[in-house]
Amino acid sequence: GMVVVGAGTLLGAVVAVAVPALLTRALHLDGLADVADGLGSGKPAEEALRIMKRSDIGPFGVVALVLVLSGQTAAAHALFGHGWAVGAVAVCLAHVTGRAALITATRRGVPAARPDGLGAMVAGTV
């Protein structure tokens, strides 16, 4: 990737974090921010769910995104420091592992949190 063309390990790490976010239209990052805002609010469950459904982002969401993206970039930077091939394989393996986790989350016997949520479409399907 970017490391091969001489851009350096830090820029390669930023690209390794940014490209998947762009390809998924930041869907997972949006979900992370929503969960952080809802749980960080300290409100009862129904109000926390309302906060999570809102399209804006609050302070807990911003902090969660900054910490997660910084951590991912730092980890990728360290991996690319062992060589571009090691970094590329490790970043790809991390993405595959993350997607494979969905199989565990949607296995039979794991109910959706709410019957009307997005998770209800995939709960118990594997």
Side-chain angles (χ1 to χ4, degrees), residues 24-125:
T24 61
R25 302 187 64 164
L27 178 68
H28 301 96
L29 295 173
D30 181 51
L32 170 66
D34 289 343
V35 168
D37 283 334
L39 295 179
S41 72
K43 304 282 185 183
E46 288 302 316
E47 181 62 23
L49 285 171
R50 276 194 289 281
I51 291 169
M52 289 180 203
K53 287 182 181 181
R54 292 173 38 182
S55 62
D56 63 342
I57 184 170
F60 286 105
V62 171
V63 170
L65 290 177
V66 167
L67 293 176
V68 166
L69 292 171
S70 297
Q72 288 177 344
T73 302
H77 180 254
L79 292 165
F80 281 125
H82 294 287
W84 72 268
V86 171
V89 168
V91 166
C92 288
L93 183 61
H95 286 290
V96 168
T97 302
R99 298 310 173 262
L102 184 61
I103 294 169
T104 302
T106 60
R107 72 183 187 281
R108 294 197 190 284
V110 178
R114 296 177 295 122
D116 59 338
L118 182 62
M121 291 189 320
V122 295
T125 59

